[in-house]
Amino acid sequence: MPDLLLELFCEEIPARMQARAADDLRKMITDRLVAAGLVYEGAKAFATPRRLALTVHGVPAQQPDVKEERKGPKVGAPEQAIAGFLRAAGLTSIDQAKVQADKKGDFYVAITEKKGRAAIAVLAEIVPEVVRAFPWPKSMRWGSGRLTWVRPLHSIVATFGPETEEPEIVRFSVDGIDAGDETRGHRFMAPGAIKVRRFEDYVAKLHDAKVVLDPARRAEMILADAKNLAFAQGFELVEDEGLLAEVSGLVEWPVVLMGSFDASFLAIPGEVIRATIRNNQKCFVLRDPQTAKLVNKFILVANIEASDHGKAIVAGNERVIRARLSDAKFFYETDLKTRLEDRLPKFEGIVFHEKLGTQGERIARIVALTGQLAPLVGADVAKAERAAQLCKADLLTEVVGEFPEVQGLMGRYYAEAQGEDEAVAHAIEDHYRPKGPDDLVPGDPVSIAVALADKIDTLVGFWAIDEKPTGSKDPYALRRAALGVIRIVLDNALRLRLLKVRGVSADLLSFFADRLKVQLREQGARHDLVDAVFALGERSAGGTTDTNNAQDDLLMIVRRVEALGKFLETDDGKNLLAGVKRATNILRIEEKKDKREYTGAPDAELLQQAEEKALAEAIAAAKKEASAAVAKEDFAAAMSAMAKLRPKVDAFFDKVTVNADDKAVRENRLKLLSEIREATRAVADFSKIEG
Amino acid sequence: MAEANLLASDRSRRDNLDPSRSFQGLILALQQYWADWGCVILQPYDMEVGAGTFHPATTLRALGPKPWNAAYVQPSRRPKDGRYGENPNRLQHYYQFQVILKPSPPDIQELYLDSLKAIGIDSALHDIRFVEDDWESPTLGAWGLGWECWCDGMEVSQFTYFQQVAGFECAPVAGELTYGLERLAMYVQGVDRVYDLNFNGRDDDKKVTYGDVFLQAEREYSRHNFEVADTAMLFEQFKMAEAACQKYLAAGWQEKDAGKKERHLMALPAYDQCIKASHVFNLLDARGVISVTERQSYILRVRELAKACGEAWLATEGGGQ
């Protein structure tokens, strides 16, 4: 079956857009092929700075024929109805329609056969449509044309044909650009026109013309060459995935070179050197494998094999990097001249958020909250408050102004330089943590206090002004903040009643609950168990939250979920759950039937059979034992107490008829069932558990 | 003997203009290149502007259907960037070389690369790259897409396809090339400090450096921009320029039927006042007397002027009427 080769050749595409564009191209073309009845075997798309390319193989040469049946009016229907049917079906006379019969009698059916078209003709429609509708994040016009593309589009290759034959050009034209079979090689090393036939020779010819089509391949080449160059000199590459992807999108023919800078610049913090070299120059830094410290070398990736083997290129890059590092050094040294606390007054004039006041006010709130949290997490209050006071000060330094990604870290360096306590300095760096799912969670009590205060203040503030995240919109990263709180609490096994923290509302607590559910689910915990535990705090149907029973202690919630999960894996657990479910179901049905609830203690006098007496006793005992265990936070023991209910519940259902003829006895037995449900609520709401 | 002397002096004259050793030689080479291609070579606009884009030959000529190809040097003033002559590459006054080609020709990238060749940057030896850089001028109500052009990791030019100017869509689209002349010269001369640039290409006692020409000015203007510029007067000047711009715009409209704007007779003088307001705003900003919230409103006021000037220009002959 034939293959399609498509290339859209244009001026330099921003690196950050290339991967997505290749993906979009593949999806848009193949979706339309499938919609046109052309089911293909495989497709792959690629991007370089100057081209998007797509190969689709195994495309049928022809669309299948389609038979369409259209049901018409009854035989003998009014003339108007017949005429309308003919028009709609595209027939000229009713003789062309068939007559079929169903229960109601004879009616007309129009059967039209649509011949499948040649795939190449379909492609000639699809491709220009895709080019015109392409979803670039930002696109533009150029010259006198009206077409929009990410940058001016110069040529299109579109060929189609089976492996064994010379492929045909898919003939179409977009805004004056005719599809053809010619492309160009590397901008500087092979700028001439190249005639291509199909994907295999396209890739090979491009390679000869100094273009590596596959971005993954370019990235591999860069990484391998960079590591080798570093290794040869006894250094180690500081790997950087984001930079690697970006650089792979800036070159068609990667040439890796090494340069150096004056060793005196190594007095600047390594992270600042790296940020300077990475952000501004898109170069990699190297370290000494023994000391893990940066060395005065960098790796650059050029786009050409220069006639002097890169001497001029290296020299040029070295000059730019020298100038950049001079600036960075100047910034760093300037910053060191001002103490962090002396920067604070400036925050009074900087708005944090229109409705949440200035940064100065925000810092004051964080300090106050840190003061409340510090004793709860075992931190030295004075140190924690000091750290909270200084934690944002580095935002006003020159280095952080230039490189926002080193915020916190620079604060720590400057704090150390001015002789702050080590715990304070570390808290300044760590209070932003965890910044993402892979980031470390602060572990020192002072850091914990400030990190929690910073995040909780943000959440409380945005909750107060009703700027909660909705759908995919979370501009203030509130989900990340909540997840940060959760991870800090759990990783450090902290006991914290969130509702007791200043400003935390029931609504905000339910947001934490949702984040915790997501988090636990990602770790493989069953979401229904999470619900079963959370439901304990939402019990009163009237809507008022029972604050005493409210599940606002994240650590205890997780412990409960864990214990519950283990319990339900045992036979006792499974059977008890079945019993509780059975009891709940009967109750639900009968309560609905009788339009009343059966709650309250059963009357001991009305207990008749041995099994119901035994169950009532067992419930009382289990309730007591489980509550005591829960009070001691021994959830496993609470579960064992529950387990003792199981044989009594089983026996009860075995021997006792709930719907007794005696009304009073029936009511009493229903109340007993309700007690089973109540008893198990000491550990979880079993009705929320699935299975 | 006489012939040999003539040759020698001829060679040295050529050397003096070598773009890789002479700042003015670099400018002349670029002018020569773009003049050869067919650009109108203009002289700098005779007002203080922040960038070559402000020159009416770019801002206004980018609007409307008429083809337009021009190149010129534009002294550019950025009061805030002054460093009292102490920073090796920051200046409050510097030169841009500006090229505007409308409609943007299909080979505009090649033309640009050839211009680099003309000043001695060989693409077989140097790593020249087009790195994403979107351009937006809030004061001009303008935006475009393009690149920073890198040579061996150094940004040497900006390349923009204008999409909108003064709030109006550009059709056809103009391509704008802006060469940072000092940067470029520092690169080709191999100099790390702007004041060390050889200005006139001489090595003997006739050598003049960039510092000889501009260092004193940088010191004096930095003092002026940051410390002394009369803010009360500048606030007043801003208001005056704004009012004058509005007045000339109003007076320039010719109406055919009642209320229907037909043609404009004073777009250029009005636009001068917009340029004036923009520069005065930059001076006030450098003096630090405009708060963050006020800043936005000043930018909006200048943009309103620019938009009204663009509208007026489109109703002139140059604008296609």
Side-chain angles (χ1 to χ4, degrees), chain A residues 11-12 14 16 138 140-141 143 151-152 154 187 280-281 301-304 306-307 313 317 319 322, chain B residues 104 106 109 124-127 129 132 134 146-147 150 152-153 161 163 169-170 172-173 186 191-192:
Chain A
E11 297 176 12
E12 277 74 359
R16 67 189 169 92
K138 265 190 188 171
M140 54 162 274
R141 293 171 292 109
R151 293 293 184 274
H154 281 267
R187 181 185 281 288
N280 296 326
Q281 296 312 127
V301 183
N303 189 33
I304 59 161
S307 47
I313 296 174
N317 276 276
R319 282 185 48 204
R322 190 192 316 146
Chain B
S104 63
Q109 280 188 309
L125 209 56
H126 296 281
D127 185 27
R129 225 79 79 65
E132 176 188 18
D134 301 342
W147 309 276
W150 283 23
D152 301 336
Y161 290 100
Q163 302 295 299
E169 187 180 82
C170 301
V173 167
M186 284 165 75
V191 162
D192 286 332

CSV table of all heavy atoms in Angstrom, one decimal, chain A residues 11-12 14 16 138 140-141 143 151-152 154 187 280-281 301-304 306-307 313 317 319 322, chain B residues 104 106 109 124-127 129 132 134 146-147 150 152-153 161 163 169-170 172-173 186 191-192:
chain,number,residue,atom,x,y,z
A,11,GLU,N,10.8,29.2,7.6
A,11,GLU,CA,11.9,29.9,8.4
A,11,GLU,C,11.8,29.4,9.8
A,11,GLU,O,10.9,28.8,10.2
A,11,GLU,CB,11.7,31.4,8.2
A,11,GLU,CG,11.8,31.9,6.8
A,11,GLU,CD,11.6,33.3,6.5
A,11,GLU,OE1,11.5,34.1,7.4
A,11,GLU,OE2,11.5,33.7,5.3
A,12,GLU,N,12.8,29.8,10.6
A,12,GLU,CA,13.1,29.1,11.9
A,12,GLU,C,11.9,29.1,12.9
A,12,GLU,O,11.4,30.1,13.3
A,12,GLU,CB,14.3,29.7,12.5
A,12,GLU,CG,15.6,29.2,12.0
A,12,GLU,CD,16.0,29.7,10.6
A,12,GLU,OE1,15.3,30.4,10.0
A,12,GLU,OE2,17.1,29.3,10.2
A,14,PRO,N,10.3,28.4,16.4
A,14,PRO,CA,10.7,28.5,17.8
A,14,PRO,C,10.9,27.0,18.4
A,14,PRO,O,10.0,26.2,18.2
A,14,PRO,CB,9.6,29.2,18.5
A,14,PRO,CG,9.1,30.1,17.5
A,14,PRO,CD,9.2,29.3,16.2
A,16,ARG,N,10.6,25.8,21.3
A,16,ARG,CA,9.6,25.3,22.2
A,16,ARG,C,8.3,24.8,21.5
A,16,ARG,O,7.5,24.1,22.1
A,16,ARG,CB,9.3,26.3,23.3
A,16,ARG,CG,8.6,27.5,22.7
A,16,ARG,CD,8.5,28.7,23.7
A,16,ARG,NE,8.0,29.9,23.0
A,16,ARG,CZ,6.7,30.2,22.8
A,16,ARG,NH1,5.8,29.5,23.4
A,16,ARG,NH2,6.4,31.3,22.2
A,138,LYS,N,1.3,30.8,18.1
A,138,LYS,CA,1.3,32.2,17.6
A,138,LYS,C,1.6,32.1,16.2
A,138,LYS,O,2.6,31.5,15.8
A,138,LYS,CB,2.4,33.0,18.3
A,138,LYS,CG,1.9,33.8,19.5
A,138,LYS,CD,3.1,34.7,19.9
A,138,LYS,CE,2.8,35.4,21.2
A,138,LYS,NZ,4.0,36.1,21.7
A,140,MET,N,1.7,34.1,12.1
A,140,MET,CA,1.9,35.4,11.5
A,140,MET,C,1.6,35.4,10.0
A,140,MET,O,1.6,34.4,9.3
A,140,MET,CB,3.3,35.9,11.8
A,140,MET,CG,4.4,34.9,11.3
A,140,MET,SD,6.0,35.6,11.2
A,140,MET,CE,6.0,36.2,9.5
A,141,ARG,N,1.5,36.6,9.4
A,141,ARG,CA,1.5,36.8,8.0
A,141,ARG,C,2.8,37.3,7.5
A,141,ARG,O,3.6,37.8,8.3
A,141,ARG,CB,0.4,37.7,7.6
A,141,ARG,CG,-1.0,37.2,7.9
A,141,ARG,CD,-2.1,38.3,7.7
A,141,ARG,NE,-1.9,39.3,8.7
A,141,ARG,CZ,-1.5,40.6,8.5
A,141,ARG,NH1,-1.1,41.0,7.3
A,141,ARG,NH2,-1.4,41.4,9.5
A,143,GLY,N,5.0,39.2,3.8
A,143,GLY,CA,4.9,39.7,2.4
A,143,GLY,C,3.5,40.2,2.1
A,143,GLY,O,2.9,40.9,3.0
A,151,ARG,N,6.2,31.1,11.0
A,151,ARG,CA,7.1,32.0,10.3
A,151,ARG,C,6.9,31.7,8.9
A,151,ARG,O,6.3,30.7,8.5
A,151,ARG,CB,8.6,31.7,10.7
A,151,ARG,CG,9.0,32.0,12.2
A,151,ARG,CD,8.9,33.4,12.5
A,151,ARG,NE,9.4,33.7,13.9
A,151,ARG,CZ,8.6,33.6,15.0
A,151,ARG,NH1,7.3,33.3,14.9
A,151,ARG,NH2,9.1,33.8,16.2
A,152,PRO,N,7.4,32.6,8.0
A,152,PRO,CA,7.0,32.3,6.5
A,152,PRO,C,7.3,30.9,6.1
A,152,PRO,O,8.3,30.3,6.3
A,152,PRO,CB,8.0,33.3,5.8
A,152,PRO,CG,8.1,34.5,6.8
A,152,PRO,CD,8.1,33.8,8.2
A,154,HIS,N,7.9,28.3,3.1
A,154,HIS,CA,8.5,28.5,1.8
A,154,HIS,C,8.1,27.4,0.8
A,154,HIS,O,8.0,27.7,-0.4
A,154,HIS,CB,10.0,28.6,2.0
A,154,HIS,CG,10.5,29.9,2.4
A,154,HIS,ND1,10.9,30.9,1.5
A,154,HIS,CD2,10.6,30.4,3.6
A,154,HIS,CE1,11.2,32.0,2.2
A,154,HIS,NE2,11.1,31.7,3.5
A,187,ARG,N,21.0,25.2,6.1
A,187,ARG,CA,21.0,26.6,5.6
A,187,ARG,C,22.3,27.1,5.1
A,187,ARG,O,22.4,27.7,4.1
A,187,ARG,CB,20.6,27.5,6.8
A,187,ARG,CG,20.5,29.0,6.3
A,187,ARG,CD,20.2,29.9,7.5
A,187,ARG,NE,18.8,30.0,7.8
A,187,ARG,CZ,17.9,30.6,7.1
A,187,ARG,NH1,18.2,31.1,5.9
A,187,ARG,NH2,16.6,30.6,7.5
A,280,ASN,N,20.9,32.5,29.2
A,280,ASN,CA,21.3,33.5,28.2
A,280,ASN,C,22.0,32.9,27.0
A,280,ASN,O,21.8,33.4,25.9
A,280,ASN,CB,22.2,34.6,28.9
A,280,ASN,CG,21.4,35.3,29.9
A,280,ASN,OD1,20.2,35.5,29.8
A,280,ASN,ND2,22.1,35.7,31.0
A,281,GLN,N,22.8,31.9,27.2
A,281,GLN,CA,23.6,31.4,26.1
A,281,GLN,C,23.2,30.0,25.7
A,281,GLN,O,23.8,29.5,24.7
A,281,GLN,CB,25.1,31.4,26.5
A,281,GLN,CG,25.6,32.8,26.8
A,281,GLN,CD,25.2,33.8,25.7
A,281,GLN,OE1,24.7,34.8,26.0
A,281,GLN,NE2,25.5,33.5,24.5
A,301,VAL,N,26.6,24.2,21.6
A,301,VAL,CA,26.2,23.4,20.5
A,301,VAL,C,26.0,24.3,19.3
A,301,VAL,O,25.1,25.1,19.3
A,301,VAL,CB,24.9,22.6,20.8
A,301,VAL,CG1,24.5,21.7,19.6
A,301,VAL,CG2,25.0,21.8,22.0
A,302,ALA,N,26.9,24.2,18.3
A,302,ALA,CA,26.8,25.0,17.1
A,302,ALA,C,26.0,24.3,16.0
A,302,ALA,O,25.7,23.1,16.2
A,302,ALA,CB,28.2,25.3,16.6
A,303,ASN,N,25.6,25.0,15.0
A,303,ASN,CA,24.8,24.4,13.9
A,303,ASN,C,25.6,24.2,12.7
A,303,ASN,O,25.1,23.7,11.7
A,303,ASN,CB,23.6,25.4,13.6
A,303,ASN,CG,22.6,24.8,12.7
A,303,ASN,OD1,22.3,23.6,12.7
A,303,ASN,ND2,22.0,25.7,11.9
A,304,ILE,N,26.9,24.4,12.7
A,304,ILE,CA,27.7,24.2,11.5
A,304,ILE,C,29.1,23.6,11.8
A,304,ILE,O,29.6,23.7,12.9
A,304,ILE,CB,28.0,25.5,10.7
A,304,ILE,CG1,28.7,26.5,11.6
A,304,ILE,CG2,26.7,26.1,10.1
A,304,ILE,CD1,29.4,27.6,10.7
A,306,ALA,N,32.4,24.4,11.1
A,306,ALA,CA,33.1,25.6,10.6
A,306,ALA,C,34.4,25.2,10.0
A,306,ALA,O,35.0,24.2,10.3
A,306,ALA,CB,33.3,26.5,11.7
A,307,SER,N,34.8,26.1,9.0
A,307,SER,CA,36.0,25.8,8.3
A,307,SER,C,37.3,25.8,9.2
A,307,SER,O,38.3,25.2,8.9
A,307,SER,CB,36.2,26.7,7.1
A,307,SER,OG,35.9,28.1,7.5
A,313,ILE,N,34.0,30.2,16.6
A,313,ILE,CA,32.7,30.1,17.3
A,313,ILE,C,33.0,30.0,18.8
A,313,ILE,O,32.3,30.7,19.6
A,313,ILE,CB,32.0,28.8,16.8
A,313,ILE,CG1,31.6,29.0,15.3
A,313,ILE,CG2,30.7,28.6,17.6
A,313,ILE,CD1,31.0,27.8,14.6
A,317,ASN,N,31.7,32.7,21.6
A,317,ASN,CA,30.9,32.3,22.7
A,317,ASN,C,31.6,32.6,24.1
A,317,ASN,O,31.0,33.0,25.0
A,317,ASN,CB,30.5,30.9,22.7
A,317,ASN,CG,29.3,30.6,21.8
A,317,ASN,OD1,28.2,30.7,22.2
A,317,ASN,ND2,29.5,30.3,20.5
A,319,ARG,N,33.6,35.0,24.7
A,319,ARG,CA,33.5,36.5,24.9
A,319,ARG,C,32.2,36.8,25.5
A,319,ARG,O,32.1,37.6,26.4
A,319,ARG,CB,33.8,37.3,23.6
A,319,ARG,CG,35.3,37.3,23.3
A,319,ARG,CD,35.5,38.2,22.2
A,319,ARG,NE,34.8,39.5,22.3
A,319,ARG,CZ,34.5,40.2,21.3
A,319,ARG,NH1,34.8,39.8,20.0
A,319,ARG,NH2,33.9,41.4,21.4
A,322,ARG,N,31.9,35.5,29.0
A,322,ARG,CA,32.7,36.4,29.9
A,322,ARG,C,31.9,37.6,30.3
A,322,ARG,O,31.9,38.0,31.5
A,322,ARG,CB,34.0,36.8,29.2
A,322,ARG,CG,35.0,37.4,30.2
A,322,ARG,CD,36.2,38.0,29.4
A,322,ARG,NE,36.7,37.1,28.4
A,322,ARG,CZ,37.2,37.5,27.2
A,322,ARG,NH1,37.2,38.8,26.9
A,322,ARG,NH2,37.6,36.7,26.3
B,104,SER,N,7.6,42.4,2.9
B,104,SER,CA,8.9,41.6,3.2
B,104,SER,C,9.2,40.7,2.0
B,104,SER,O,8.3,39.9,1.7
B,104,SER,CB,8.7,40.8,4.5
B,104,SER,OG,7.7,39.9,4.4
B,106,PRO,N,10.6,37.5,-0.1
B,106,PRO,CA,10.7,36.1,0.3
B,106,PRO,C,12.1,35.7,0.7
B,106,PRO,O,12.3,34.8,1.5
B,106,PRO,CB,10.2,35.3,-1.0
B,106,PRO,CG,10.0,36.3,-2.1
B,106,PRO,CD,10.0,37.7,-1.5
B,109,GLN,N,15.7,36.7,4.6
B,109,GLN,CA,16.7,36.1,5.5
B,109,GLN,C,18.1,36.0,4.8
B,109,GLN,O,19.1,36.3,5.4
B,109,GLN,CB,16.3,34.7,6.0
B,109,GLN,CG,15.3,34.7,7.1
B,109,GLN,CD,15.1,33.2,7.6
B,109,GLN,OE1,14.8,32.3,6.8
B,109,GLN,NE2,15.2,33.0,8.9
B,124,ALA,N,30.5,30.7,6.9
B,124,ALA,CA,31.2,29.4,6.9
B,124,ALA,C,32.0,29.2,8.2
B,124,ALA,O,32.5,28.1,8.5
B,124,ALA,CB,32.0,29.2,5.7
B,125,LEU,N,32.3,30.4,8.8
B,125,LEU,CA,33.2,30.4,10.0
B,125,LEU,C,32.4,30.6,11.3
B,125,LEU,O,32.9,30.2,12.3
B,125,LEU,CB,34.2,31.5,9.7
B,125,LEU,CG,35.6,31.4,10.3
B,125,LEU,CD1,36.2,30.1,9.9
B,125,LEU,CD2,36.4,32.6,9.9
B,126,HIS,N,31.3,31.3,11.2
B,126,HIS,CA,30.6,31.7,12.4
B,126,HIS,C,29.2,31.0,12.4
B,126,HIS,O,28.7,30.6,11.4
B,126,HIS,CB,30.4,33.2,12.4
B,126,HIS,CG,31.6,33.9,12.5
B,126,HIS,ND1,32.3,34.1,13.7
B,126,HIS,CD2,32.4,34.5,11.5
B,126,HIS,CE1,33.4,34.8,13.5
B,126,HIS,NE2,33.5,35.1,12.2
B,127,ASP,N,28.8,30.8,13.7
B,127,ASP,CA,27.5,30.1,13.9
B,127,ASP,C,26.4,31.1,14.0
B,127,ASP,O,26.2,31.8,15.0
B,127,ASP,CB,27.7,29.4,15.3
B,127,ASP,CG,26.5,28.5,15.6
B,127,ASP,OD1,25.8,28.0,14.6
B,127,ASP,OD2,26.3,28.2,16.8
B,129,ARG,N,22.4,32.1,14.0
B,129,ARG,CA,21.2,31.4,14.4
B,129,ARG,C,20.1,32.4,14.5
B,129,ARG,O,20.3,33.6,14.8
B,129,ARG,CB,21.5,30.8,15.8
B,129,ARG,CG,21.0,29.4,15.9
B,129,ARG,CD,22.0,28.4,15.3
B,129,ARG,NE,23.1,28.2,16.2
B,129,ARG,CZ,23.0,27.6,17.4
B,129,ARG,NH1,21.8,27.3,17.9
B,129,ARG,NH2,24.1,27.4,18.1
B,132,GLU,N,14.0,32.5,18.5
B,132,GLU,CA,12.7,33.1,18.7
B,132,GLU,C,12.8,34.3,19.5
B,132,GLU,O,13.4,34.4,20.6
B,132,GLU,CB,11.8,32.1,19.4
B,132,GLU,CG,10.5,32.7,19.8
B,132,GLU,CD,9.6,31.8,20.7
B,132,GLU,OE1,10.1,30.9,21.3
B,132,GLU,OE2,8.4,32.1,20.7
B,134,ASP,N,9.7,37.4,20.1
B,134,ASP,CA,8.6,38.1,19.7
B,134,ASP,C,8.7,39.6,20.1
B,134,ASP,O,9.2,39.8,21.2
B,134,ASP,CB,7.3,37.5,20.3
B,134,ASP,CG,7.1,36.1,19.9
B,134,ASP,OD1,7.8,35.7,18.9
B,134,ASP,OD2,6.4,35.3,20.6
B,146,GLY,N,9.4,37.2,15.1
B,146,GLY,CA,10.7,37.1,14.5
B,146,GLY,C,11.7,36.5,15.3
B,146,GLY,O,11.4,35.6,16.1
B,147,TRP,N,12.9,37.0,15.3
B,147,TRP,CA,14.0,36.4,16.0
B,147,TRP,C,15.0,37.4,16.5
B,147,TRP,O,15.1,38.5,16.0
B,147,TRP,CB,14.8,35.5,15.0
B,147,TRP,CG,14.0,34.5,14.3
B,147,TRP,CD1,13.6,33.3,14.7
B,147,TRP,CD2,13.5,34.6,12.9
B,147,TRP,NE1,12.9,32.6,13.7
B,147,TRP,CE2,12.8,33.4,12.6
B,147,TRP,CE3,13.6,35.6,11.9
B,147,TRP,CZ2,12.2,33.2,11.4
B,147,TRP,CZ3,13.0,35.4,10.7
B,147,TRP,CH2,12.4,34.2,10.4
B,150,TRP,N,21.6,35.6,16.3
B,150,TRP,CA,22.8,35.3,17.1
B,150,TRP,C,24.0,35.0,16.2
B,150,TRP,O,23.9,34.3,15.2
B,150,TRP,CB,22.6,34.0,17.9
B,150,TRP,CG,21.8,34.2,19.1
B,150,TRP,CD1,20.9,35.2,19.3
B,150,TRP,CD2,21.8,33.4,20.3
B,150,TRP,NE1,20.3,35.0,20.6
B,150,TRP,CE2,20.8,34.0,21.2
B,150,TRP,CE3,22.5,32.3,20.7
B,150,TRP,CZ2,20.6,33.4,22.4
B,150,TRP,CZ3,22.3,31.8,22.0
B,150,TRP,CH2,21.3,32.3,22.8
B,152,ASP,N,27.6,33.4,16.9
B,152,ASP,CA,28.5,32.8,18.0
B,152,ASP,C,28.0,33.1,19.4
B,152,ASP,O,28.7,33.5,20.3
B,152,ASP,CB,30.0,33.2,17.8
B,152,ASP,CG,30.5,32.9,16.5
B,152,ASP,OD1,30.0,31.9,15.8
B,152,ASP,OD2,31.5,33.6,16.0
B,153,GLY,N,26.7,33.1,19.6
B,153,GLY,CA,26.1,33.3,20.9
B,153,GLY,C,25.8,34.7,21.2
B,153,GLY,O,25.3,35.0,22.3
B,161,TYR,N,8.8,40.5,11.7
B,161,TYR,CA,7.7,40.7,10.7
B,161,TYR,C,6.6,41.5,11.4
B,161,TYR,O,5.9,40.9,12.3
B,161,TYR,CB,7.2,39.4,10.2
B,161,TYR,CG,8.2,38.6,9.3
B,161,TYR,CD1,9.0,37.6,9.9
B,161,TYR,CD2,8.3,38.9,8.0
B,161,TYR,CE1,9.9,36.8,9.1
B,161,TYR,CE2,9.2,38.2,7.2
B,161,TYR,CZ,10.0,37.2,7.7
B,161,TYR,OH,10.8,36.5,6.9
B,163,GLN,N,3.2,42.7,12.4
B,163,GLN,CA,1.9,42.3,12.2
B,163,GLN,C,0.9,43.4,12.5
B,163,GLN,O,-0.2,43.5,11.9
B,163,GLN,CB,1.5,41.1,13.1
B,163,GLN,CG,2.5,39.9,12.9
B,163,GLN,CD,2.3,39.3,11.6
B,163,GLN,OE1,1.3,38.8,11.2
B,163,GLN,NE2,3.4,39.3,10.8
B,169,GLU,N,-3.7,46.6,11.5
B,169,GLU,CA,-3.0,45.4,10.9
B,169,GLU,C,-2.1,45.9,9.8
B,169,GLU,O,-2.5,46.7,9.0
B,169,GLU,CB,-4.1,44.5,10.4
B,169,GLU,CG,-3.6,43.2,9.9
B,169,GLU,CD,-4.7,42.3,9.4
B,169,GLU,OE1,-5.1,42.5,8.2
B,169,GLU,OE2,-5.1,41.4,10.1
B,170,CYS,N,-0.9,45.3,9.7
B,170,CYS,CA,0.0,45.6,8.6
B,170,CYS,C,-0.3,44.7,7.4
B,170,CYS,O,-0.2,43.5,7.5
B,170,CYS,CB,1.4,45.5,9.0
B,170,CYS,SG,1.9,46.5,10.4
B,172,PRO,N,0.3,45.0,3.2
B,172,PRO,CA,1.3,43.9,3.3
B,172,PRO,C,2.1,44.1,4.6
B,172,PRO,O,2.2,45.1,5.2
B,172,PRO,CB,2.2,44.0,2.1
B,172,PRO,CG,2.1,45.4,1.7
B,172,PRO,CD,0.7,45.9,2.0
B,173,VAL,N,2.8,43.0,4.9
B,173,VAL,CA,3.6,42.9,6.1
B,173,VAL,C,5.0,43.5,5.8
B,173,VAL,O,5.6,43.2,4.8
B,173,VAL,CB,3.8,41.5,6.6
B,173,VAL,CG1,4.9,41.3,7.6
B,173,VAL,CG2,2.5,41.0,7.1
B,186,MET,N,31.7,45.9,18.2
B,186,MET,CA,32.5,45.3,19.2
B,186,MET,C,32.9,43.8,18.8
B,186,MET,O,34.0,43.4,19.0
B,186,MET,CB,31.8,45.3,20.6
B,186,MET,CG,31.8,46.6,21.3
B,186,MET,SD,30.6,46.7,22.6
B,186,MET,CE,31.4,45.8,23.9
B,191,VAL,N,36.5,43.8,20.5
B,191,VAL,CA,36.7,44.7,21.6
B,191,VAL,C,35.7,44.4,22.7
B,191,VAL,O,34.5,44.0,22.4
B,191,VAL,CB,36.5,46.1,21.1
B,191,VAL,CG1,36.2,47.1,22.2
B,191,VAL,CG2,37.7,46.5,20.2
B,192,ASP,N,36.1,44.4,24.0
B,192,ASP,CA,35.1,44.1,25.1
B,192,ASP,C,34.5,45.3,25.7
B,192,ASP,O,33.6,45.1,26.5
B,192,ASP,CB,35.9,43.3,26.1
B,192,ASP,CG,36.2,41.9,25.7
B,192,ASP,OD1,35.4,41.4,24.9
B,192,ASP,OD2,37.1,41.3,26.1
